[in-house]
Amino acid sequence: RMVTTMLREAREATGMSQRELAKRLGVSQQRVALLERDANPSVDTLERVAKALGMCLEINLRPKKGA
């Protein structure tokens, strides 16, 4: 899944609005909308979003099939 999709799904799972998440992050609601729609966020940004949502960031790398 795309990171943008996972960000939106994580926020929705908490029942938090984009506006509330933006407030917790200290950014505009438009910035949150951009993150969820068309962004390539840094790991630092992902960590901040996860913390604001009360979640932890977990990144998994797996070998390709057949490799």
Side-chain angles (χ1 to χ4, degrees):
R1 289 183 312 186
M2 298 290 294
V3 171
T4 53
T5 301
M6 291 189 303
L7 289 173
R8 180 182 47 78
E9 289 173 353
R11 179 186 55 76
E12 289 174 347
T14 67
M16 193 179 299
S17 67
Q18 286 183 345
R19 184 172 301 223
E20 177 60 27
L21 178 56
K23 184 177 177 181
R24 290 182 183 205
L25 292 171
V27 300
S28 68
Q29 181 271 327
Q30 291 84 2
R31 176 69 178 135
V32 171
L34 178 64
L35 282 171
E36 292 182 357
R37 187 177 65 247
D38 184 33
N40 188 15
S42 67
V43 172
D44 181 60
T45 297
L46 293 173
E47 288 175 335
R48 290 180 57 227
V49 170
K51 184 176 179 180
L53 293 171
M55 298 180 173
C56 63
L57 177 64
E58 195 173 281
I59 299 172
N60 294 307
L61 298 173
R62 292 179 235 152
K64 292 181 181 180
K65 291 182 179 180

Short mmCIF file of all heavy atoms in Angstrom, two decimals:
data_model
loop_
_atom_site.label_atom_id
_atom_site.label_comp_id
_atom_site.label_asym_id
_atom_site.label_seq_id
_atom_site.Cartn_x
_atom_site.Cartn_y
_atom_site.Cartn_z
N ARG A 1 0.84 -1.19 0.00
CA ARG A 1 0.00 0.00 0.00
C ARG A 1 0.88 1.24 0.00
O ARG A 1 1.98 1.25 0.51
CB ARG A 1 -0.87 0.02 1.24
CG ARG A 1 -1.96 -1.01 1.24
CD ARG A 1 -2.83 -0.88 2.44
NE ARG A 1 -2.02 -0.77 3.64
CZ ARG A 1 -2.48 -0.75 4.86
NH1 ARG A 1 -3.76 -0.85 5.07
NH2 ARG A 1 -1.70 -0.65 5.89
N MET A 2 0.32 2.29 -0.51
CA MET A 2 1.04 3.56 -0.53
C MET A 2 1.06 4.17 0.86
O MET A 2 0.12 4.01 1.64
CB MET A 2 0.33 4.53 -1.49
CG MET A 2 0.29 4.07 -2.94
SD MET A 2 1.91 4.11 -3.71
CE MET A 2 2.22 5.85 -3.73
N VAL A 3 2.13 4.88 1.16
CA VAL A 3 2.25 5.54 2.46
C VAL A 3 1.10 6.50 2.68
O VAL A 3 0.55 6.58 3.78
CB VAL A 3 3.61 6.27 2.57
CG1 VAL A 3 3.66 7.15 3.80
CG2 VAL A 3 4.76 5.28 2.55
N THR A 4 0.70 7.21 1.64
CA THR A 4 -0.38 8.18 1.78
C THR A 4 -1.67 7.49 2.21
O THR A 4 -2.40 8.00 3.06
CB THR A 4 -0.60 8.94 0.46
OG1 THR A 4 -0.77 8.00 -0.61
CG2 THR A 4 0.58 9.84 0.13
N THR A 5 -1.94 6.33 1.64
CA THR A 5 -3.14 5.57 2.00
C THR A 5 -3.05 5.10 3.45
O THR A 5 -4.03 5.18 4.20
CB THR A 5 -3.31 4.36 1.07
OG1 THR A 5 -3.42 4.83 -0.27
CG2 THR A 5 -4.55 3.55 1.43
N MET A 6 -1.88 4.64 3.84
CA MET A 6 -1.72 4.16 5.22
C MET A 6 -1.88 5.30 6.23
O MET A 6 -2.46 5.09 7.30
CB MET A 6 -0.36 3.48 5.39
CG MET A 6 -0.29 2.17 4.63
SD MET A 6 1.18 1.17 4.95
CE MET A 6 2.50 2.26 4.53
N LEU A 7 -1.41 6.49 5.88
CA LEU A 7 -1.59 7.64 6.78
C LEU A 7 -3.07 7.95 6.97
O LEU A 7 -3.53 8.14 8.10
CB LEU A 7 -0.87 8.87 6.23
CG LEU A 7 0.65 8.86 6.28
CD1 LEU A 7 1.20 10.07 5.55
CD2 LEU A 7 1.14 8.82 7.71
N ARG A 8 -3.81 7.98 5.88
CA ARG A 8 -5.24 8.27 5.97
C ARG A 8 -5.96 7.20 6.77
O ARG A 8 -6.78 7.50 7.65
CB ARG A 8 -5.86 8.40 4.57
CG ARG A 8 -7.35 8.69 4.60
CD ARG A 8 -7.97 8.76 3.22
NE ARG A 8 -7.60 7.67 2.34
CZ ARG A 8 -8.11 6.43 2.38
NH1 ARG A 8 -9.02 6.14 3.29
NH2 ARG A 8 -7.71 5.51 1.53
N GLU A 9 -5.67 5.95 6.47
CA GLU A 9 -6.32 4.85 7.18
C GLU A 9 -6.00 4.86 8.67
O GLU A 9 -6.88 4.59 9.50
CB GLU A 9 -5.92 3.51 6.56
CG GLU A 9 -6.53 3.29 5.19
CD GLU A 9 -6.01 2.04 4.49
OE1 GLU A 9 -5.07 1.39 4.99
OE2 GLU A 9 -6.56 1.71 3.42
N ALA A 10 -4.76 5.17 9.02
CA ALA A 10 -4.38 5.24 10.42
C ALA A 10 -5.14 6.36 11.13
O ALA A 10 -5.66 6.18 12.24
CB ALA A 10 -2.87 5.46 10.55
N ARG A 11 -5.24 7.52 10.48
CA ARG A 11 -5.97 8.64 11.08
C ARG A 11 -7.44 8.28 11.25
O ARG A 11 -8.03 8.51 12.32
CB ARG A 11 -5.84 9.91 10.22
CG ARG A 11 -6.62 11.09 10.80
CD ARG A 11 -6.60 12.28 9.90
NE ARG A 11 -7.07 12.04 8.56
CZ ARG A 11 -8.35 11.89 8.21
NH1 ARG A 11 -9.31 11.97 9.11
NH2 ARG A 11 -8.68 11.68 6.94
N GLU A 12 -8.03 7.71 10.21
CA GLU A 12 -9.44 7.35 10.28
C GLU A 12 -9.69 6.29 11.35
O GLU A 12 -10.74 6.30 12.00
CB GLU A 12 -9.92 6.87 8.91
CG GLU A 12 -10.02 8.00 7.90
CD GLU A 12 -10.37 7.53 6.50
OE1 GLU A 12 -10.30 6.31 6.22
OE2 GLU A 12 -10.71 8.40 5.68
N ALA A 13 -8.75 5.37 11.54
CA ALA A 13 -8.91 4.32 12.56
C ALA A 13 -8.97 4.90 13.97
O ALA A 13 -9.60 4.32 14.85
CB ALA A 13 -7.76 3.31 12.46
N THR A 14 -8.36 6.06 14.16
CA THR A 14 -8.40 6.71 15.47
C THR A 14 -9.65 7.57 15.65
O THR A 14 -9.92 8.05 16.74
CB THR A 14 -7.17 7.62 15.69
OG1 THR A 14 -7.23 8.73 14.79
CG2 THR A 14 -5.88 6.86 15.53
N GLY A 15 -10.37 7.80 14.53
CA GLY A 15 -11.54 8.67 14.59
C GLY A 15 -11.17 10.14 14.60
O GLY A 15 -12.01 11.00 14.87
N MET A 16 -9.92 10.45 14.28
CA MET A 16 -9.44 11.82 14.32
C MET A 16 -9.67 12.50 12.97
O MET A 16 -9.51 11.89 11.92
CB MET A 16 -7.94 11.82 14.64
CG MET A 16 -7.39 13.17 15.02
SD MET A 16 -5.61 13.11 15.42
CE MET A 16 -5.61 11.99 16.81
N SER A 17 -10.04 13.76 13.01
CA SER A 17 -10.22 14.53 11.78
C SER A 17 -8.86 15.05 11.30
O SER A 17 -7.89 15.10 12.07
CB SER A 17 -11.15 15.72 12.02
OG SER A 17 -10.52 16.65 12.89
N GLN A 18 -8.81 15.45 10.04
CA GLN A 18 -7.59 16.07 9.53
C GLN A 18 -7.28 17.33 10.32
O GLN A 18 -6.11 17.61 10.62
CB GLN A 18 -7.75 16.43 8.05
CG GLN A 18 -7.70 15.27 7.11
CD GLN A 18 -7.78 15.71 5.66
OE1 GLN A 18 -8.15 16.85 5.35
NE2 GLN A 18 -7.44 14.80 4.76
N ARG A 19 -8.30 18.06 10.69
CA ARG A 19 -8.10 19.31 11.44
C ARG A 19 -7.47 19.04 12.80
O ARG A 19 -6.54 19.75 13.22
CB ARG A 19 -9.44 20.02 11.61
CG ARG A 19 -9.33 21.37 12.29
CD ARG A 19 -10.65 22.07 12.24
NE ARG A 19 -10.99 22.21 10.83
CZ ARG A 19 -11.50 23.30 10.29
NH1 ARG A 19 -11.78 24.32 11.02
NH2 ARG A 19 -11.77 23.35 9.00
N GLU A 20 -7.95 18.00 13.50
CA GLU A 20 -7.39 17.67 14.82
C GLU A 20 -5.95 17.19 14.68
O GLU A 20 -5.09 17.58 15.48
CB GLU A 20 -8.24 16.60 15.52
CG GLU A 20 -7.69 16.15 16.85
CD GLU A 20 -7.57 17.26 17.90
OE1 GLU A 20 -8.32 18.25 17.84
OE2 GLU A 20 -6.71 17.13 18.80
N LEU A 21 -5.68 16.37 13.70
CA LEU A 21 -4.31 15.90 13.49
C LEU A 21 -3.39 17.08 13.17
O LEU A 21 -2.29 17.18 13.70
CB LEU A 21 -4.24 14.86 12.37
CG LEU A 21 -2.85 14.32 12.04
CD1 LEU A 21 -2.16 13.73 13.26
CD2 LEU A 21 -2.94 13.31 10.91
N ALA A 22 -3.86 17.97 12.33
CA ALA A 22 -3.08 19.16 11.98
C ALA A 22 -2.76 19.97 13.23
O ALA A 22 -1.62 20.43 13.41
CB ALA A 22 -3.85 20.02 10.98
N LYS A 23 -3.74 20.14 14.10
CA LYS A 23 -3.53 20.88 15.34
C LYS A 23 -2.46 20.22 16.20
O LYS A 23 -1.57 20.89 16.73
CB LYS A 23 -4.86 20.96 16.11
CG LYS A 23 -4.80 21.79 17.36
CD LYS A 23 -6.18 21.86 18.01
CE LYS A 23 -6.13 22.63 19.31
NZ LYS A 23 -7.45 22.68 19.95
N ARG A 24 -2.52 18.89 16.31
CA ARG A 24 -1.52 18.17 17.10
C ARG A 24 -0.13 18.25 16.50
O ARG A 24 0.86 18.22 17.23
CB ARG A 24 -1.93 16.71 17.24
CG ARG A 24 -3.14 16.51 18.12
CD ARG A 24 -3.46 15.06 18.27
NE ARG A 24 -4.69 14.88 19.05
CZ ARG A 24 -4.96 13.78 19.74
NH1 ARG A 24 -4.12 12.77 19.73
NH2 ARG A 24 -6.07 13.70 20.41
N LEU A 25 -0.06 18.35 15.17
CA LEU A 25 1.23 18.43 14.49
C LEU A 25 1.75 19.85 14.37
O LEU A 25 2.92 20.06 14.04
CB LEU A 25 1.12 17.82 13.08
CG LEU A 25 0.89 16.32 13.00
CD1 LEU A 25 0.58 15.91 11.55
CD2 LEU A 25 2.09 15.56 13.54
N GLY A 26 0.88 20.83 14.58
CA GLY A 26 1.28 22.22 14.42
C GLY A 26 1.40 22.64 12.96
O GLY A 26 2.25 23.45 12.61
N VAL A 27 0.55 22.03 12.12
CA VAL A 27 0.53 22.36 10.69
C VAL A 27 -0.90 22.67 10.29
O VAL A 27 -1.83 22.52 11.07
CB VAL A 27 1.09 21.20 9.83
CG1 VAL A 27 2.53 20.89 10.20
CG2 VAL A 27 0.23 19.96 9.93
N SER A 28 -1.08 23.08 9.04
CA SER A 28 -2.43 23.38 8.55
C SER A 28 -3.16 22.09 8.17
O SER A 28 -2.54 21.05 7.89
CB SER A 28 -2.36 24.29 7.33
OG SER A 28 -1.78 23.59 6.23
N GLN A 29 -4.48 22.17 8.13
CA GLN A 29 -5.30 21.04 7.69
C GLN A 29 -4.96 20.71 6.23
O GLN A 29 -4.95 19.55 5.84
CB GLN A 29 -6.79 21.37 7.85
CG GLN A 29 -7.73 20.24 7.43
CD GLN A 29 -8.10 20.30 5.96
OE1 GLN A 29 -8.22 21.38 5.38
NE2 GLN A 29 -8.28 19.15 5.36
N GLN A 30 -4.63 21.72 5.45
CA GLN A 30 -4.27 21.50 4.05
C GLN A 30 -2.99 20.66 3.94
O GLN A 30 -2.87 19.84 3.04
CB GLN A 30 -4.08 22.84 3.32
CG GLN A 30 -5.37 23.60 3.12
CD GLN A 30 -5.79 24.43 4.34
OE1 GLN A 30 -5.10 24.49 5.36
NE2 GLN A 30 -6.93 25.08 4.23
N ARG A 31 -2.06 20.86 4.86
CA ARG A 31 -0.82 20.07 4.86
C ARG A 31 -1.12 18.61 5.15
O ARG A 31 -0.55 17.71 4.53
CB ARG A 31 0.16 20.64 5.89
CG ARG A 31 1.43 19.85 6.03
CD ARG A 31 2.31 19.97 4.79
NE ARG A 31 3.53 19.23 5.00
CZ ARG A 31 4.06 18.41 4.10
NH1 ARG A 31 3.51 18.27 2.93
NH2 ARG A 31 5.17 17.76 4.38
N VAL A 32 -2.02 18.34 6.10
CA VAL A 32 -2.40 16.97 6.40
C VAL A 32 -3.08 16.35 5.18
O VAL A 32 -2.79 15.21 4.80
CB VAL A 32 -3.31 16.89 7.64
CG1 VAL A 32 -3.87 15.49 7.82
CG2 VAL A 32 -2.54 17.31 8.88
N ALA A 33 -3.95 17.10 4.53
CA ALA A 33 -4.62 16.60 3.33
C ALA A 33 -3.60 16.25 2.25
O ALA A 33 -3.72 15.22 1.58
CB ALA A 33 -5.62 17.64 2.81
N LEU A 34 -2.58 17.08 2.09
CA LEU A 34 -1.53 16.81 1.12
C LEU A 34 -0.76 15.54 1.48
O LEU A 34 -0.47 14.72 0.61
CB LEU A 34 -0.57 18.00 1.03
CG LEU A 34 0.61 17.83 0.08
CD1 LEU A 34 0.12 17.68 -1.36
CD2 LEU A 34 1.57 18.99 0.20
N LEU A 35 -0.45 15.37 2.75
CA LEU A 35 0.25 14.15 3.19
C LEU A 35 -0.55 12.90 2.85
O LEU A 35 0.01 11.87 2.49
CB LEU A 35 0.50 14.18 4.70
CG LEU A 35 1.64 15.04 5.21
CD1 LEU A 35 1.59 15.12 6.73
CD2 LEU A 35 2.96 14.48 4.75
N GLU A 36 -1.86 13.00 2.98
CA GLU A 36 -2.72 11.85 2.74
C GLU A 36 -3.02 11.63 1.25
O GLU A 36 -3.50 10.56 0.87
CB GLU A 36 -4.05 12.02 3.48
CG GLU A 36 -3.91 11.96 4.97
CD GLU A 36 -5.22 12.07 5.70
OE1 GLU A 36 -6.28 12.26 5.07
OE2 GLU A 36 -5.19 11.98 6.93
N ARG A 37 -2.74 12.61 0.45
CA ARG A 37 -3.12 12.53 -0.96
C ARG A 37 -1.93 12.34 -1.89
O ARG A 37 -1.98 11.50 -2.79
CB ARG A 37 -3.88 13.81 -1.33
CG ARG A 37 -4.48 13.81 -2.71
CD ARG A 37 -5.27 15.07 -3.00
NE ARG A 37 -4.42 16.26 -3.03
CZ ARG A 37 -4.47 17.26 -2.14
NH1 ARG A 37 -5.32 17.23 -1.15
NH2 ARG A 37 -3.66 18.28 -2.24
N ASP A 38 -0.90 13.13 -1.71
CA ASP A 38 0.18 13.14 -2.70
C ASP A 38 1.46 13.64 -2.07
O ASP A 38 1.87 14.76 -2.31
CB ASP A 38 -0.23 14.05 -3.87
CG ASP A 38 0.79 14.04 -4.99
OD1 ASP A 38 1.40 12.99 -5.22
OD2 ASP A 38 0.96 15.09 -5.64
N ALA A 39 2.08 12.82 -1.27
CA ALA A 39 3.29 13.27 -0.60
C ALA A 39 4.28 12.14 -0.48
O ALA A 39 3.95 10.98 -0.59
CB ALA A 39 2.95 13.82 0.79
N ASN A 40 5.52 12.50 -0.26
CA ASN A 40 6.58 11.56 0.00
C ASN A 40 7.22 11.99 1.32
O ASN A 40 8.28 12.59 1.34
CB ASN A 40 7.59 11.60 -1.15
CG ASN A 40 8.62 10.51 -1.02
OD1 ASN A 40 8.45 9.57 -0.26
ND2 ASN A 40 9.70 10.63 -1.77
N PRO A 41 6.54 11.70 2.45
CA PRO A 41 7.00 12.21 3.74
C PRO A 41 8.30 11.57 4.21
O PRO A 41 8.59 10.41 3.89
CB PRO A 41 5.85 11.85 4.69
CG PRO A 41 5.18 10.70 4.04
CD PRO A 41 5.34 10.90 2.57
N SER A 42 9.07 12.34 4.94
CA SER A 42 10.30 11.83 5.53
C SER A 42 9.96 10.89 6.69
O SER A 42 8.83 10.90 7.20
CB SER A 42 11.15 12.99 6.05
OG SER A 42 10.49 13.61 7.15
N VAL A 43 10.94 10.12 7.11
CA VAL A 43 10.74 9.23 8.26
C VAL A 43 10.41 10.06 9.49
O VAL A 43 9.56 9.69 10.29
CB VAL A 43 11.97 8.33 8.49
CG1 VAL A 43 11.84 7.55 9.79
CG2 VAL A 43 12.15 7.37 7.32
N ASP A 44 11.05 11.22 9.63
CA ASP A 44 10.77 12.10 10.77
C ASP A 44 9.30 12.53 10.77
O ASP A 44 8.65 12.51 11.81
CB ASP A 44 11.68 13.33 10.72
CG ASP A 44 11.43 14.26 11.89
OD1 ASP A 44 11.60 13.82 13.04
OD2 ASP A 44 11.05 15.43 11.64
N THR A 45 8.79 12.89 9.61
CA THR A 45 7.38 13.27 9.51
C THR A 45 6.48 12.11 9.86
O THR A 45 5.50 12.27 10.59
CB THR A 45 7.06 13.81 8.10
OG1 THR A 45 7.83 14.99 7.87
CG2 THR A 45 5.58 14.13 7.94
N LEU A 46 6.81 10.93 9.35
CA LEU A 46 6.00 9.74 9.67
C LEU A 46 6.01 9.46 11.16
O LEU A 46 4.97 9.10 11.74
CB LEU A 46 6.52 8.53 8.90
CG LEU A 46 6.35 8.58 7.38
CD1 LEU A 46 7.08 7.40 6.74
CD2 LEU A 46 4.89 8.60 7.00
N GLU A 47 7.16 9.63 11.81
CA GLU A 47 7.25 9.43 13.26
C GLU A 47 6.38 10.43 14.01
O GLU A 47 5.70 10.08 14.97
CB GLU A 47 8.69 9.52 13.73
CG GLU A 47 9.53 8.33 13.32
CD GLU A 47 10.99 8.48 13.69
OE1 GLU A 47 11.49 9.63 13.83
OE2 GLU A 47 11.66 7.44 13.82
N ARG A 48 6.39 11.69 13.57
CA ARG A 48 5.58 12.72 14.21
C ARG A 48 4.09 12.43 14.06
O ARG A 48 3.32 12.59 15.01
CB ARG A 48 5.90 14.10 13.62
CG ARG A 48 7.28 14.60 14.02
CD ARG A 48 7.60 15.97 13.43
NE ARG A 48 6.61 16.94 13.83
CZ ARG A 48 6.01 17.80 13.00
NH1 ARG A 48 6.33 17.81 11.72
NH2 ARG A 48 5.13 18.66 13.44
N VAL A 49 3.69 11.99 12.87
CA VAL A 49 2.29 11.66 12.63
C VAL A 49 1.88 10.47 13.49
O VAL A 49 0.83 10.50 14.15
CB VAL A 49 2.02 11.38 11.13
CG1 VAL A 49 0.62 10.81 10.92
CG2 VAL A 49 2.22 12.64 10.30
N ALA A 50 2.70 9.45 13.51
CA ALA A 50 2.40 8.27 14.33
C ALA A 50 2.23 8.65 15.79
O ALA A 50 1.27 8.23 16.44
CB ALA A 50 3.50 7.21 14.18
N LYS A 51 3.13 9.45 16.31
CA LYS A 51 3.05 9.88 17.71
C LYS A 51 1.77 10.68 17.95
O LYS A 51 1.08 10.47 18.96
CB LYS A 51 4.27 10.72 18.08
CG LYS A 51 4.30 11.13 19.53
CD LYS A 51 5.57 11.88 19.86
CE LYS A 51 5.55 12.29 21.32
NZ LYS A 51 6.76 13.04 21.69
N ALA A 52 1.43 11.58 17.03
CA ALA A 52 0.21 12.39 17.18
C ALA A 52 -1.04 11.53 17.17
O ALA A 52 -2.05 11.88 17.78
CB ALA A 52 0.15 13.45 16.07
N LEU A 53 -0.96 10.39 16.47
CA LEU A 53 -2.10 9.47 16.40
C LEU A 53 -2.10 8.45 17.55
O LEU A 53 -3.00 7.63 17.64
CB LEU A 53 -2.09 8.72 15.07
CG LEU A 53 -2.35 9.55 13.82
CD1 LEU A 53 -2.10 8.72 12.56
CD2 LEU A 53 -3.76 10.13 13.83
N GLY A 54 -1.06 8.50 18.39
CA GLY A 54 -0.96 7.54 19.48
C GLY A 54 -0.54 6.17 18.99
O GLY A 54 -0.89 5.14 19.58
N MET A 55 0.22 6.15 17.92
CA MET A 55 0.68 4.90 17.31
C MET A 55 2.21 4.90 17.26
O MET A 55 2.84 5.92 17.53
CB MET A 55 0.13 4.76 15.90
CG MET A 55 -1.37 4.69 15.83
SD MET A 55 -1.90 4.52 14.12
CE MET A 55 -3.65 4.24 14.37
N CYS A 56 2.78 3.76 16.91
CA CYS A 56 4.21 3.70 16.69
C CYS A 56 4.47 3.43 15.22
O CYS A 56 3.67 2.79 14.54
CB CYS A 56 4.87 2.63 17.58
SG CYS A 56 4.32 0.97 17.22
N LEU A 57 5.58 3.94 14.74
CA LEU A 57 5.97 3.75 13.35
C LEU A 57 6.77 2.47 13.25
O LEU A 57 7.71 2.24 14.01
CB LEU A 57 6.80 4.93 12.86
CG LEU A 57 7.33 4.82 11.43
CD1 LEU A 57 6.19 4.78 10.43
CD2 LEU A 57 8.27 5.98 11.14
N GLU A 58 6.41 1.63 12.30
CA GLU A 58 7.11 0.38 12.07
C GLU A 58 7.38 0.26 10.58
O GLU A 58 6.45 0.33 9.78
CB GLU A 58 6.24 -0.77 12.55
CG GLU A 58 6.94 -2.07 12.72
CD GLU A 58 6.01 -3.09 13.36
OE1 GLU A 58 5.83 -3.04 14.58
OE2 GLU A 58 5.47 -3.91 12.60
N ILE A 59 8.64 0.09 10.20
CA ILE A 59 9.01 -0.04 8.81
C ILE A 59 9.58 -1.44 8.62
O ILE A 59 10.50 -1.83 9.33
CB ILE A 59 10.04 1.03 8.38
CG1 ILE A 59 9.44 2.42 8.58
CG2 ILE A 59 10.49 0.80 6.96
CD1 ILE A 59 10.41 3.55 8.38
N ASN A 60 9.03 -2.17 7.67
CA ASN A 60 9.49 -3.52 7.39
C ASN A 60 10.07 -3.62 5.99
O ASN A 60 9.46 -3.16 5.05
CB ASN A 60 8.33 -4.52 7.50
CG ASN A 60 7.79 -4.61 8.91
OD1 ASN A 60 8.55 -4.85 9.84
ND2 ASN A 60 6.51 -4.43 9.07
N LEU A 61 11.23 -4.22 5.88
CA LEU A 61 11.82 -4.53 4.60
C LEU A 61 11.88 -6.04 4.48
O LEU A 61 12.33 -6.72 5.39
CB LEU A 61 13.23 -3.94 4.50
CG LEU A 61 13.33 -2.42 4.60
CD1 LEU A 61 14.79 -2.00 4.64
CD2 LEU A 61 12.64 -1.77 3.43
N ARG A 62 11.41 -6.55 3.36
CA ARG A 62 11.40 -7.99 3.14
C ARG A 62 12.06 -8.30 1.80
O ARG A 62 11.98 -7.51 0.88
CB ARG A 62 9.96 -8.51 3.12
CG ARG A 62 9.30 -8.41 4.47
CD ARG A 62 7.88 -8.89 4.38
NE ARG A 62 7.08 -7.78 4.91
CZ ARG A 62 5.86 -7.52 4.59
NH1 ARG A 62 5.22 -8.26 3.74
NH2 ARG A 62 5.21 -6.51 5.11
N PRO A 63 12.67 -9.46 1.70
CA PRO A 63 13.26 -9.83 0.41
C PRO A 63 12.20 -9.99 -0.66
O PRO A 63 11.05 -10.36 -0.35
CB PRO A 63 13.96 -11.16 0.68
CG PRO A 63 13.65 -11.55 2.08
CD PRO A 63 12.86 -10.47 2.72
N LYS A 64 12.56 -9.69 -1.88
CA LYS A 64 11.64 -9.89 -2.98
C LYS A 64 11.42 -11.38 -3.19
O LYS A 64 12.32 -12.19 -2.95
CB LYS A 64 12.22 -9.29 -4.27
CG LYS A 64 12.32 -7.79 -4.25
CD LYS A 64 12.88 -7.31 -5.55
CE LYS A 64 13.03 -5.80 -5.56
NZ LYS A 64 13.57 -5.32 -6.83
N LYS A 65 10.28 -11.73 -3.66
CA LYS A 65 10.00 -13.13 -3.98
C LYS A 65 10.92 -13.57 -5.09
O LYS A 65 11.11 -12.85 -6.08
CB LYS A 65 8.54 -13.30 -4.40
CG LYS A 65 7.57 -13.09 -3.26
CD LYS A 65 6.15 -13.32 -3.71
CE LYS A 65 5.21 -13.11 -2.53
NZ LYS A 65 3.81 -13.32 -2.91
N GLY A 66 11.50 -14.72 -4.92
CA GLY A 66 12.39 -15.27 -5.92
C GLY A 66 13.81 -14.73 -5.85
O GLY A 66 14.65 -15.06 -6.67
N ALA A 67 14.09 -13.89 -4.85
CA ALA A 67 15.43 -13.32 -4.73
C ALA A 67 16.32 -14.21 -3.87
O ALA A 67 15.90 -14.98 -3.09
CB ALA A 67 15.37 -11.94 -4.12
#
